[in-house]
Coordinates of all heavy atoms in Angstrom, one line a residue:
R898 N 155.5 11.1 104.9 CA 156.9 11.2 105.2 C 157.2 12.6 105.8 O 158.0 12.7 106.7 CB 157.7 11.0 103.9 CG 157.9 9.6 103.5 CD 158.7 9.4 102.3 NE 158.9 8.0 101.9 CZ 159.5 7.7 100.8 NH1 160.0 8.6 99.9 NH2 159.7 6.4 100.6
W899 N 156.5 13.6 105.3 CA 156.7 15.0 105.8 C 156.2 15.0 107.3 O 156.8 15.6 108.1 CB 155.9 16.0 105.0 CG 155.9 17.4 105.5 CD1 156.9 18.3 105.5 CD2 154.8 18.0 106.2 NE1 156.6 19.4 106.1 CE2 155.3 19.3 106.6 CE3 153.5 17.6 106.6 CZ2 154.5 20.2 107.3 CZ3 152.7 18.5 107.3 CH2 153.2 19.8 107.6
K900 N 155.1 14.4 107.5 CA 154.5 14.3 108.9 C 155.5 13.6 109.8 O 155.8 14.1 111.0 CB 153.2 13.6 108.9 CG 152.1 14.3 108.2 CD 151.5 15.4 109.1 CE 150.7 14.9 110.2 NZ 150.0 15.9 111.0
A901 N 156.1 12.5 109.4 CA 157.1 11.8 110.2 C 158.3 12.6 110.4 O 158.9 12.6 111.5 CB 157.4 10.5 109.5
A902 N 158.8 13.3 109.4 CA 159.9 14.2 109.5 C 159.7 15.3 110.5 O 160.6 15.7 111.3 CB 160.3 14.8 108.2
Q903 N 158.4 15.9 110.5 CA 158.1 16.9 111.5 C 158.1 16.3 112.9 O 158.6 17.0 113.8 CB 156.7 17.4 111.1 CG 156.6 18.3 109.9 CD 157.4 19.6 110.0 OE1 158.5 19.7 109.5 NE2 156.8 20.5 110.7
R904 N 157.6 15.1 113.0 CA 157.6 14.5 114.4 C 159.0 14.2 114.9 O 159.3 14.5 116.0 CB 156.8 13.2 114.3 CG 156.7 12.5 115.6 CD 155.8 11.2 115.5 NE 155.5 10.6 116.8 CZ 156.3 9.7 117.4 NH1 157.4 9.3 116.7 NH2 156.0 9.2 118.6
K905 N 159.9 13.8 113.9 CA 161.3 13.5 114.3 C 162.0 14.8 114.7 O 162.8 14.9 115.6 CB 162.0 12.8 113.2 CG 163.4 12.5 113.5 CD 164.1 11.8 112.4 CE 165.5 11.4 112.7 NZ 166.2 10.8 111.6
E906 N 161.7 15.9 114.0 CA 162.3 17.2 114.3 C 161.8 17.7 115.7 O 162.7 18.2 116.4 CB 161.9 18.2 113.2 CG 162.6 19.5 113.3 CD 162.2 20.5 112.2 OE1 161.8 20.0 111.1 OE2 162.5 21.7 112.3
L907 N 160.6 17.5 116.0 CA 160.1 17.9 117.3 C 160.7 17.0 118.4 O 161.1 17.5 119.5 CB 158.6 17.7 117.4 CG 157.7 18.7 116.6 CD1 156.2 18.4 116.7 CD2 157.9 20.1 117.1
F908 N 160.9 15.7 118.1 CA 161.6 14.9 119.0 C 163.0 15.3 119.3 O 163.5 15.4 120.4 CB 161.6 13.4 118.5 CG 162.3 12.4 119.3 CD1 161.7 11.8 120.4 CD2 163.7 12.1 119.1 CE1 162.3 10.8 121.2 CE2 164.3 11.2 119.9 CZ 163.7 10.6 120.9
E909 N 163.8 15.6 118.2 CA 165.2 16.1 118.4 C 165.3 17.4 119.1 O 166.2 17.7 119.8 CB 165.8 16.2 117.0 CG 166.0 14.8 116.3 CD 166.7 14.9 115.0 OE1 166.8 16.0 114.5 OE2 167.1 13.9 114.4
A910 N 164.2 18.3 118.9 CA 164.2 19.6 119.6 C 164.1 19.4 121.1 O 164.5 20.3 121.8 CB 163.1 20.4 119.0
K911 N 163.6 18.3 121.5 CA 163.4 18.1 123.0 C 164.5 17.2 123.6 O 164.5 16.9 124.8 CB 162.0 17.4 123.2 CG 160.8 18.3 123.0 CD 159.5 17.5 123.3 CE 158.3 18.4 123.0 NZ 158.3 19.5 124.0
L912 N 165.5 16.9 122.8 CA 166.6 16.0 123.3 C 167.4 16.8 124.4 O 167.8 16.2 125.4 CB 167.5 15.6 122.2 CG 167.2 14.3 121.5 CD1 168.1 14.1 120.3 CD2 167.2 13.1 122.4
L913 N 167.6 18.1 124.2 CA 168.3 18.8 125.3 C 167.5 18.9 126.6 O 168.1 18.7 127.6 CB 168.6 20.2 124.8 CG 169.3 21.2 125.7 CD1 170.7 20.6 126.1 CD2 169.5 22.5 125.1
D914 N 166.2 19.1 126.5 CA 165.4 19.1 127.7 C 165.3 17.8 128.3 O 165.3 17.7 129.6 CB 163.9 19.6 127.3 CG 163.9 21.0 126.8 OD1 164.8 21.8 127.2 OD2 162.9 21.3 126.1
F915 N 165.3 16.7 127.5 CA 165.3 15.4 128.0 C 166.6 15.1 128.8 O 166.6 14.6 129.9 CB 165.2 14.4 126.9 CG 165.4 12.9 127.2 CD1 164.7 12.3 128.3 CD2 166.4 12.2 126.6 CE1 164.9 11.0 128.6 CE2 166.6 10.9 126.9 CZ 165.9 10.3 127.9
T916 N 167.8 15.4 128.2 CA 169.0 15.2 128.9 C 169.1 16.0 130.2 O 169.6 15.5 131.2 CB 170.2 15.6 128.0 OG1 170.0 14.9 126.7 CG2 171.5 15.1 128.5
M917 N 168.7 17.3 130.2 CA 168.7 18.1 131.4 C 167.8 17.6 132.4 O 168.1 17.6 133.6 CB 168.3 19.6 131.0 CG 169.3 20.3 130.1 SD 168.7 21.9 129.5 CE 168.6 22.8 131.1
G918 N 166.6 17.0 132.0 CA 165.7 16.4 133.0 C 166.3 15.2 133.7 O 166.2 15.0 134.9
L919 N 167.0 14.4 132.9 CA 167.7 13.2 133.5 C 168.8 13.6 134.4 O 168.9 13.1 135.5 CB 168.3 12.3 132.4 CG 167.4 11.5 131.5 CD1 168.2 10.7 130.5 CD2 166.5 10.5 132.4
A920 N 169.6 14.6 134.0 CA 170.7 15.1 134.9 C 170.1 15.7 136.2 O 170.6 15.4 137.3 CB 171.5 16.1 134.2
S921 N 169.0 16.5 136.1 CA 168.4 17.1 137.3 C 167.8 16.0 138.2 O 168.0 16.1 139.4 CB 167.4 18.1 136.9 OG 168.0 19.2 136.1
G922 N 167.2 15.1 137.6 CA 166.5 14.0 138.4 C 167.5 13.2 139.2 O 167.4 12.9 140.4
M923 N 168.6 12.8 138.5 CA 169.6 12.0 139.2 C 170.5 12.8 140.2 O 170.9 12.3 141.2 CB 170.6 11.3 138.1 CG 169.9 10.2 137.3 SD 171.0 9.4 136.2 CE 171.2 10.6 135.0
R924 N 170.6 14.1 139.9 CA 171.3 14.9 140.9 C 170.5 15.1 142.1 O 171.1 15.3 143.2 CB 171.6 16.3 140.2 CG 172.6 17.1 141.0 CD 172.8 18.5 140.4 NE 173.3 18.4 139.0 CZ 172.7 18.7 137.9 NH1 171.4 19.1 138.0 NH2 173.2 18.6 136.7
S925 N 169.2 15.0 142.0 CA 168.3 15.1 143.2 C 168.2 13.8 144.0 O 167.5 13.7 145.0 CB 166.9 15.6 142.8 OG 166.3 14.7 142.0
G926 N 168.8 12.7 143.5 CA 168.8 11.5 144.2 C 168.0 10.4 143.6 O 168.0 9.2 144.1
L927 N 167.4 10.6 142.5 CA 166.6 9.6 141.8 C 167.5 8.6 141.0 O 168.6 9.0 140.5 CB 165.6 10.2 140.8 CG 164.5 11.1 141.4 CD1 163.7 11.7 140.3 CD2 163.6 10.3 142.4
G928 N 167.1 7.4 140.8 CA 167.8 6.5 140.0 C 167.4 6.8 138.5 O 166.5 7.6 138.2
L929 N 168.1 6.1 137.6 CA 167.9 6.4 136.2 C 166.5 6.1 135.8 O 165.8 6.9 135.1 CB 168.9 5.6 135.3 CG 168.8 5.8 133.8 CD1 168.9 7.2 133.4 CD2 169.8 4.9 133.1
P930 N 165.9 5.0 136.1 CA 164.5 4.7 135.7 C 163.5 5.7 136.3 O 162.6 6.2 135.6 CB 164.2 3.3 136.3 CG 165.5 2.7 136.4 CD 166.5 3.8 136.8
Q931 N 163.7 6.1 137.6 CA 162.8 7.1 138.2 C 163.0 8.5 137.6 O 162.0 9.2 137.3 CB 163.1 7.2 139.7 CG 162.7 6.0 140.5 CD 163.7 4.8 140.3 OE1 164.8 5.0 140.0 NE2 163.2 3.6 140.5
A932 N 164.2 8.8 137.2 CA 164.5 10.1 136.6 C 163.9 10.1 135.2 O 163.3 11.1 134.7 CB 166.0 10.4 136.5
L933 N 163.9 9.0 134.5 CA 163.3 8.8 133.2 C 161.8 9.0 133.3 O 161.2 9.7 132.4 CB 163.7 7.5 132.6 CG 163.4 7.3 131.1 CD1 164.3 8.2 130.3 CD2 163.7 5.8 130.8
D934 N 161.2 8.4 134.3 CA 159.8 8.5 134.5 C 159.3 9.9 134.8 O 158.4 10.4 134.2 CB 159.4 7.5 135.6 CG 157.8 7.4 135.7 OD1 157.1 7.7 134.7 OD2 157.4 6.9 136.8
A935 N 160.1 10.6 135.7 CA 159.8 11.9 136.1 C 159.9 12.9 134.9 O 159.1 13.8 134.7 CB 160.7 12.4 137.2
T936 N 160.9 12.7 134.0 CA 161.1 13.5 132.9 C 160.0 13.3 131.8 O 159.5 14.2 131.2 CB 162.5 13.2 132.2 OG1 163.5 13.4 133.2 CG2 162.7 14.2 131.1
A937 N 159.6 12.0 131.7 CA 158.6 11.7 130.7 C 157.2 12.3 131.0 O 156.5 12.6 130.1 CB 158.4 10.2 130.6

C-alpha cells in the first residue's frame, strides 16, 4: 500500500507537466491524441 501510495504521489506530481505538455502540443497545431502521445 505504501508502494502504491508512492506511485500515486509521483503520478500526481507530474499532473502539472502533463497538462502543460497537452497545452503546448495543441498550441503547436497537434490534435488531442497526438499531443497526448507526444507528452507520453
Side-chain angles (χ1 to χ4, degrees):
R898 281 180 177 174
W899 174 77
K900 293 279 288 183
Q903 290 292 105
R904 184 175 185 272
K905 184 179 178 182
E906 185 176 342
L907 289 174
F908 177 87
E909 292 179 350
K911 291 181 177 291
L912 271 175
L913 180 59
D914 295 336
F915 170 56
T916 309
M917 293 174 63
L919 284 182
S921 299
M923 288 185 291
R924 195 181 298 112
S925 64
L927 297 177
L929 179 58
Q931 291 74 26
L933 192 65
D934 189 17
T936 304

